[in-house]
Every structure is written in structure tokens, then in C-alpha cells.
Amino acid sequence: MGKTYEIVPDGGVTSPKGFKAGGLHCGLKKTDRHDLGVIYCEVPAAAAAVYTTNLFQAAPLQVTRESLAEEGVLRAVLVNSGNANACTGRQGEDDARAMRSGIAEALGIPKHQVAVASTGVIGELLKMDRVHAGIAKLPERLSADERGSDDFCQAILTTDLVKKTACVRLTVDGREVVIAGAAKGSGMIHPNMATMLGFVTTDAAIPAPLLQELLRESTDVTFNMITVDGDTSTNDMLVAMASGLAGNKPLSRDHADFAAFADGLRYVCEVLAKAIARDGEGATKLIETTVVGAGSDEDARAIAKTIIGSSLVKSAAFGADANWGRIIAAVGRAGVSDIDVNTVDIRLGDISVLEQSRPVAFDEEAALAYLKGDTVAIHVDLNHGSGRAVAWGCDLTYDYVRINAAYRT
Amino acid sequence: MGKTYEIVPDGGVTSPKGFKAGGLHCGLKKTDRHDLGVIYCEVPAAAAAVYTTNLFQAAPLQVTRESLAEEGVLRAVLVNSGNANACTGRQGEDDARAMRSGIAEALGIPKHQVAVASTGVIGELLKMDRVHAGIAKLPERLSADERGSDDFCQAILTTDLVKKTACVRLTVDGREVVIAGAAKGSGMIHPNMATMLGFVTTDAAIPAPLLQELLRESTDVTFNMITVDGDTSTNDMLVAMASGLAGNKPLSRDHADFAAFADGLRYVCEVLAKAIARDGEGATKLIETTVVGAGSDEDARAIAKTIIGSSLVKSAAFGADANWGRIIAAVGRAGVSDIDVNTVDIRLGDISVLEQSRPVAFDEEAALAYLKGDTVAIHVDLNHGSGRAVAWGCDLTYDYVRINAAYRT
């Protein structure tokens, strides 16, 4: 199947019709970088969200959940970085609600049409005077052009080194539909602190329940494939808003262009997920693990995530060491029993290192050269079934340890 | 309950009656350190073993399993380091069998009374000429004194920095019984390469089936509590041998001194497990996580292991950063649903940092001083039930990354 969408290189969350965004520094970060941002939709947007499975869910998630429960519609998402508003008890909930009311009032919209997200340090109360002062200035910072998208992207970063955006254009009912996204991650190799936030905007007309289904399906094969062991922070959240201003006939699973839209959405999520993996704390390279020939997709996912989550595999990738023994050891402890231990093939890029579970003599120089690149592809073929999956991660480096040895202080 | 055993500071695997040991350099390691060792028992010893759950089990494990299946008795364990003899196919199995036959012949004992263990790099064939030359010299290197134990301990190390031994003395039927052990680990924070080997000797009289049960029970609360996510290498193995030369009435669960023996065995295993954790690659400190108040011991174990396995918690420990947010995030993603998210207490040593799931103001200076020590105790009280568990790990450091970036090359 050819691509049904066209990539928009400079696109961002304000590219779809109806969206504005903005960001500013209100004082939650110690530096002068932006730490408060908003995405605003001129019309009520059909909305959907996916939340962390961590039992200790941060206050903003509860509030966002309540908003969406009312009518599945959002006009705005308010985000702060620098403070996760997690493990902050009743006061934290009150603060998240105050953020929601504050931006609703400033923008003149109902508060139940506002989502709230936070990222940063856990367990500290928000400096609400700063947040409120920032909220008051946000409406005048809204912009429908690149600046708005850019300011918003800056505002959601914590230890991220680069902004993460994606945008595609496709045709639905002969109308141009744009899907865009922004994300922050960086937390770590497997994001398990108050880490990952993602925001998707589109001008497609799509009912909220279907948007919710599609968002979940896309998440399963993108954002959820950069996490390991179900590692999820207290704040992980992905929110999607569809303005409907493209003017297409509302999408349904029977719609002729449904597959194209779903594919575009998955692509946007995948770009953001890979960007998060590549920009993992201290990372020098992206690792992409593809597992094929498993008994089921589920088995393939478990194995791909175990490999990508192995500190040994990650360290070896950092050192450009073709240590396939660590890969096969990860396969063997992934909790998947339906494999044949005698039929495993492993490739690093195009270099075959294991065939039928036996080492293959390979060119060490070529392997070293390949592994020194900025992307390492690990291919595992179990030669056992038709299940497949792809997972993304990054290498484990000195800088990772340095950053996380003193994140809080 | 007071201790029912006495610690023997200089004891080793040759301390129990009937055991000799030895080790030498045969050429499997690149350095001139010992890489081949044996424990020998003058009489047939009741034996038991626990093996890795990794699907890709190394050849020596298969061979050892076959030996024990014959009559549950061992006279010798032959161990090499430098090469794990894992993922080596049919040739690897032949080599493991040749090691067994070789040492059996050299010592004049039946080959089914020999266990074989290997540790080191995965996927390379053993240099069997060197192994055979070493085996031929081993009998004359056997010693019942400290030198034998010491040589053996040296021979099983890979990247370990220190030897790991433990020994206790207790009374059974008025007879002195000695339990001793040696181990190697070091692999990593959670040992998931061809890493952990453990050997326990005792002169107690105990039937092999009961020794097997006790070994499993001890392993569950010691060696298995330094691993994470079921992480297990292709070579992990723990072997126990009981010579019976103490002359006690054979132990049974009804025996008056059964609890004392079980307690001593558990202690020996715990000392070795903690030593492996403390000597984890690149480690600067031991982390001990105690979880109490869980709904069940199983829940407590899952949470303790998730905390101890978190790269973020480990990095924070390295940096002496009192980042309890990472601890609570680990609690919340441990896969345990039977907890109350509002009643969690966390202490670092004696310093309370979280009470009833809310941050507590604490003395940062005191916390820093405590976390800079060589042992960090993390206490989590869920205040929810009576389940409890203890797990051990180490910090994540620059040296860990350095060692594992180029382990193979």
C-alpha cells in the first residue's frame, strides 16, 4: 500500500484549520524557557485522550478525564512544564481545577471544554500565582501560524533537547485534511517518570468516539512501543482534537477515506514516538527493533519491548558493540513461551549475526561502522509464525546517568 | 527469633566436612586470572539445583540437569569462566559433556555425579584443548583448606571485583553443621546475561528432595530478589551439595533443628545475593528495598523488584538525590492493583520523605549525607496489608555504561 498522505515538513499543531497555539515563561522552570502553553480551537473540537496506566495518576489527568466525560468536546488544552502536579493530594487537584477555570475564563469558553496537562518534578505544589499570571497573558500570545506552534512546543519541554512535531496532509471527500502533532518526552529510555505528553490536532470531521478508538489503536503501535514493561509515568497523556473545519463528511469506518486518515494519524504518532525515543535523555542514537515470525503480534510486541528495554542492549549500542548475545538473552526472558529456541535469526541492519540460533561469522569492521551510526536497526526473525511488531528506544550513555543522578536537585 | 547460626568469617566452600576445591588459569580469560575451578566431595553428596528460567538455556545446564536426574547425587562441580557456552548448538552440548567426562575421569568418579557450569561471553565455542589441559591439572590443585576455596572463588569470576563467599556454623542433633557458599554475579543491576552462578556446600545429612525444596525456598527470597522482571541469564544456576559427614540424623521438616538449618541456608544465600548486588557492574553502593503493608508477599515482591530495577531510582541513588517521586512512580507501575494510592509511606533510611502519599518536608543535608553512604535502604509501607518483601540492587553509574558499552570487544 502506498502512502495515502503527504508529509508537511514545517507543519505543526496550528496547521489544521481552526487551531491557534501559544506559550510563554511564567516562572515554573528555573531557566527562562517557556513553561506554560495552550492549544486553542475556534470551534468545539471532537476530542479523545489516552492516559497513563500508572496507579498514581497526576491531578491534571483526573481533571481532563472529567472534562472529556461531559460531552467529548474540547476547545483548549493548557499545559505546564517544570512541575508534574503529581502526588500533590487535594491541593494538587484544586490547582489543576484552578488552571482549568483560569484558562476557560481567559478564553471565554466553558471549563468542561478544557483539558489540563502537567510535566516535570513530582511531589511539589505548583506556584499558582505564577501560573495564573501566565494564563492571563496567554490569550494575547495565541497565533495560528508557525510561531504559535513553536511557542507551544517550547513550553511543553523539560529535559528534551529538541522540539517534536509532525504534520501530514491528505484528502478526505476531496477536501484537504491536515493532521498534526506535538509531543514531549525525553524522560528516559523507558519513560516512567512524569514524562510523555502528546497533542494531536486535525481539521477532519470525525465523531469523538471514533477518534478515541483510532487514537487508542495508533497509540498501541507507536507511543506504547517506546515504553517497556508497561512503564508509564504518573502524567503520561495523549490528547487529540478534531475541529471538523476541513468540511469533509464525518469519518466512519465505512468511509472511503477512513484508511487514509487512520494511516496519517498513525504516521503522526509514529514520528512523535520515534522523536521521543531518539531524544531520550543522554541518547546518541535511535534503536529500532523489529520482531517478525512470532506466534502472535502480542508476542512480537513483548519481545521487541524487552529487547529495547534491556540496559545491556542499550549499553552495547552506545559502545557500537555487536553483542547479539544480549539480544537473544532478552528474547529468552521476554515472557513469551511460544517460540522455537532453535530457529532464531538476528540482523543488525543488513548484517546477519545469528541464523537458526547459531552465531554467524560477520565482518566486525562493517558492524562497528554500522553501529556507530545515529540509527541502529535490530531485526529478529523467530521463523515461527506471522506475528510482528516494531519498538523504538535509544542507547544508554554516560549522559543518561549524569542527567538522572541529579534530576531533582 | 534469635539467630540459630554463628557466622564463620573466613569460611568457604571447603569448610564443611568432606569438601575440597581448586582453581587455575587454563586460558579462557584474556588475562592470567583463574578461569577453571572445581568443588569436589569425598563422598556422594545429596544434591539440588535451581536453574535459569530463560528459554535459551546454556549447554552446561542441560548436562547438569541430566546428571542430577540420575540419582540426585554429586561428587563434583566443574566451572569455567570467560565463556558461557550458550547459543553454541550441538557442539556446545558436546563440549559440556566432554567437560563432564573429562573431570569425572580425572577424579575417578562416575560422570553422572558431576555438574558443569559456565559463565562469560555468549555464542562462542569453548577452546576445548585448553579446558582439557586445565582439567588434567585440577586434581592436584584440590585443597580442603582456605586456598582451595579461594582458588575456586577466583576461577568463577568474570567482571566481578570481589570474591563472594559466606559460611555459617550451627548445631543439629548436637553435631556441628557447616553451611558455606560461593557465588559470582556482577553482570549487572539485574543479572540478565550469562551471569549468576552459586554453589552451596554443607556437611549436614539431608535427603536430596528436601535439599531441593529448601534451596528453592531460599532462592525465592534471596537470589530471586536481586533480579528484575524475571530477568535471568542463559546460564544462571545454583547448585547445593550436602556431604552428610556432620553425622546428624538426616534432616526432615519434623526435625527439631530443621528451622535452624533452613535459617542458616537462607542466610548464606542472602549474603551471596547481597554481595552480587553490591558488586554489580560499576556499582558504588548497595540498595536495599523493603516493602511492607502490601496485600500479599507476592505483591510486595513485585513492588520491591520494580523499585530496585528502576534506572531512575538507581541513577538517583548514584547521585545521592532523594528523588522519592521515582520510587512512588515505580510503585504505581509494578503491576500490583491491590494498593491504596492514598496511604503510602516512604523512608530513605530513617528519613521520612512521604507519608500517606504526601511529601514530607525533610532535611536535604541529612538526606544527602545518608544517600552518599555505601548502603541505601528504601522503606515503603503501603499501610494496606501484611505482605512484605526485601529486594537488593545497586546504583546505576558511569562505570556501568563504560563496562557494558564494550563488554564483548
Side-chain angles (χ1 to χ4, degrees), chain B residues 80-95:
Chain B
N80 76 272
S81 54
N83 184 319
N85 193 11
C87 296
T88 44
R90 175 62 61 95
Q91 185 61 51
E93 275 181 45
D94 288 350
D95 291 346

mmCIF file of all heavy atoms in Angstrom, chain B residues 80-95:
data_model
loop_
_atom_site.group_PDB
_atom_site.id
_atom_site.type_symbol
_atom_site.label_atom_id
_atom_site.label_comp_id
_atom_site.label_asym_id
_atom_site.label_seq_id
_atom_site.Cartn_x
_atom_site.Cartn_y
_atom_site.Cartn_z
ATOM 1 N N ASN B 80 33.716 -23.156 34.498
ATOM 2 C CA ASN B 80 34.673 -22.287 33.813
ATOM 3 C C ASN B 80 34.094 -20.885 33.695
ATOM 4 O O ASN B 80 32.873 -20.701 33.639
ATOM 5 C CB ASN B 80 35.001 -22.812 32.402
ATOM 6 C CG ASN B 80 33.891 -22.532 31.410
ATOM 7 O OD1 ASN B 80 32.977 -23.346 31.299
ATOM 8 N ND2 ASN B 80 33.927 -21.400 30.710
ATOM 9 N N SER B 81 34.960 -19.880 33.663
ATOM 10 C CA SER B 81 34.541 -18.510 33.373
ATOM 11 C C SER B 81 35.215 -18.077 32.080
ATOM 12 O O SER B 81 36.095 -18.761 31.558
ATOM 13 C CB SER B 81 34.939 -17.580 34.528
ATOM 14 O OG SER B 81 36.310 -17.693 34.809
ATOM 15 N N GLY B 82 34.743 -16.940 31.537
ATOM 16 C CA GLY B 82 35.329 -16.445 30.286
ATOM 17 C C GLY B 82 34.517 -16.811 29.059
ATOM 18 O O GLY B 82 34.623 -16.172 28.017
ATOM 19 N N ASN B 83 33.717 -17.854 29.185
ATOM 20 C CA ASN B 83 32.908 -18.323 28.060
ATOM 21 C C ASN B 83 31.676 -19.032 28.627
ATOM 22 O O ASN B 83 31.794 -19.963 29.413
ATOM 23 C CB ASN B 83 33.729 -19.290 27.186
ATOM 24 C CG ASN B 83 32.975 -19.735 25.947
ATOM 25 O OD1 ASN B 83 31.780 -20.007 25.998
ATOM 26 N ND2 ASN B 83 33.671 -19.804 24.830
ATOM 27 N N ALA B 84 30.490 -18.570 28.219
ATOM 28 C CA ALA B 84 29.245 -19.087 28.797
ATOM 29 C C ALA B 84 28.770 -20.386 28.154
ATOM 30 O O ALA B 84 27.837 -21.006 28.650
ATOM 31 C CB ALA B 84 28.145 -18.038 28.675
ATOM 32 N N ASN B 85 29.393 -20.780 27.053
ATOM 33 C CA ASN B 85 28.937 -21.955 26.307
ATOM 34 C C ASN B 85 27.419 -21.920 26.126
ATOM 35 O O ASN B 85 26.720 -22.900 26.350
ATOM 36 C CB ASN B 85 29.390 -23.257 26.994
ATOM 37 C CG ASN B 85 29.219 -24.476 26.080
ATOM 38 O OD1 ASN B 85 28.953 -24.336 24.885
ATOM 39 N ND2 ASN B 85 29.356 -25.670 26.644
ATOM 40 N N ALA B 86 26.933 -20.751 25.705
ATOM 41 C CA ALA B 86 25.498 -20.563 25.456
ATOM 42 C C ALA B 86 25.305 -20.214 23.991
ATOM 43 O O ALA B 86 26.155 -19.543 23.396
ATOM 44 C CB ALA B 86 24.952 -19.448 26.341
ATOM 45 N N CYS B 87 24.202 -20.640 23.399
ATOM 46 C CA CYS B 87 23.930 -20.415 21.979
ATOM 47 C C CYS B 87 25.067 -20.992 21.143
ATOM 48 O O CYS B 87 25.543 -20.379 20.194
ATOM 49 C CB CYS B 87 23.762 -18.934 21.666
ATOM 50 S SG CYS B 87 22.351 -18.211 22.478
ATOM 51 N N THR B 88 25.500 -22.172 21.513
ATOM 52 C CA THR B 88 26.604 -22.823 20.825
ATOM 53 C C THR B 88 26.170 -24.144 20.177
ATOM 54 O O THR B 88 27.011 -24.908 19.701
ATOM 55 C CB THR B 88 27.751 -23.099 21.822
ATOM 56 O OG1 THR B 88 27.174 -23.624 23.020
ATOM 57 C CG2 THR B 88 28.509 -21.830 22.142
ATOM 58 N N GLY B 89 24.864 -24.396 20.207
ATOM 59 C CA GLY B 89 24.305 -25.525 19.462
ATOM 60 C C GLY B 89 24.816 -26.889 19.886
ATOM 61 O O GLY B 89 25.192 -27.099 21.042
ATOM 62 N N ARG B 90 24.814 -27.810 18.932
ATOM 63 C CA ARG B 90 25.201 -29.172 19.197
ATOM 64 C C ARG B 90 26.644 -29.282 19.689
ATOM 65 O O ARG B 90 26.966 -30.023 20.604
ATOM 66 C CB ARG B 90 25.012 -30.004 17.899
ATOM 67 C CG ARG B 90 25.484 -31.443 17.995
ATOM 68 C CD ARG B 90 24.703 -32.218 19.048
ATOM 69 N NE ARG B 90 23.284 -32.276 18.733
ATOM 70 C CZ ARG B 90 22.716 -33.277 18.085
ATOM 71 N NH1 ARG B 90 23.427 -34.312 17.693
ATOM 72 N NH2 ARG B 90 21.417 -33.268 17.837
ATOM 73 N N GLN B 91 27.515 -28.481 19.088
ATOM 74 C CA GLN B 91 28.921 -28.507 19.512
ATOM 75 C C GLN B 91 29.055 -28.106 20.982
ATOM 76 O O GLN B 91 29.845 -28.679 21.732
ATOM 77 C CB GLN B 91 29.750 -27.563 18.626
ATOM 78 C CG GLN B 91 31.249 -27.613 18.897
ATOM 79 C CD GLN B 91 31.827 -29.007 18.650
ATOM 80 O OE1 GLN B 91 31.607 -29.589 17.599
ATOM 81 N NE2 GLN B 91 32.540 -29.545 19.635
ATOM 82 N N GLY B 92 28.255 -27.116 21.378
ATOM 83 C CA GLY B 92 28.283 -26.657 22.776
ATOM 84 C C GLY B 92 27.868 -27.767 23.724
ATOM 85 O O GLY B 92 28.467 -27.947 24.794
ATOM 86 N N GLU B 93 26.828 -28.504 23.336
ATOM 87 C CA GLU B 93 26.380 -29.624 24.178
ATOM 88 C C GLU B 93 27.470 -30.687 24.270
ATOM 89 O O GLU B 93 27.755 -31.225 25.350
ATOM 90 C CB GLU B 93 25.116 -30.257 23.600
ATOM 91 C CG GLU B 93 23.848 -29.558 24.035
ATOM 92 C CD GLU B 93 22.611 -30.227 23.446
ATOM 93 O OE1 GLU B 93 22.537 -31.478 23.485
ATOM 94 O OE2 GLU B 93 21.736 -29.503 22.953
ATOM 95 N N ASP B 94 28.081 -30.991 23.133
ATOM 96 C CA ASP B 94 29.173 -31.973 23.127
ATOM 97 C C ASP B 94 30.312 -31.506 24.041
ATOM 98 O O ASP B 94 30.891 -32.297 24.788
ATOM 99 C CB ASP B 94 29.703 -32.169 21.699
ATOM 100 C CG ASP B 94 28.705 -32.934 20.829
ATOM 101 O OD1 ASP B 94 27.718 -33.468 21.378
ATOM 102 O OD2 ASP B 94 28.913 -32.984 19.599
ATOM 103 N N ASP B 95 30.608 -30.205 23.978
ATOM 104 C CA ASP B 95 31.699 -29.676 24.802
ATOM 105 C C ASP B 95 31.374 -29.788 26.296
ATOM 106 O O ASP B 95 32.231 -30.130 27.111
ATOM 107 C CB ASP B 95 31.974 -28.220 24.428
ATOM 108 C CG ASP B 95 32.596 -28.092 23.039
ATOM 109 O OD1 ASP B 95 33.048 -29.126 22.493
ATOM 110 O OD2 ASP B 95 32.619 -26.964 22.496
#
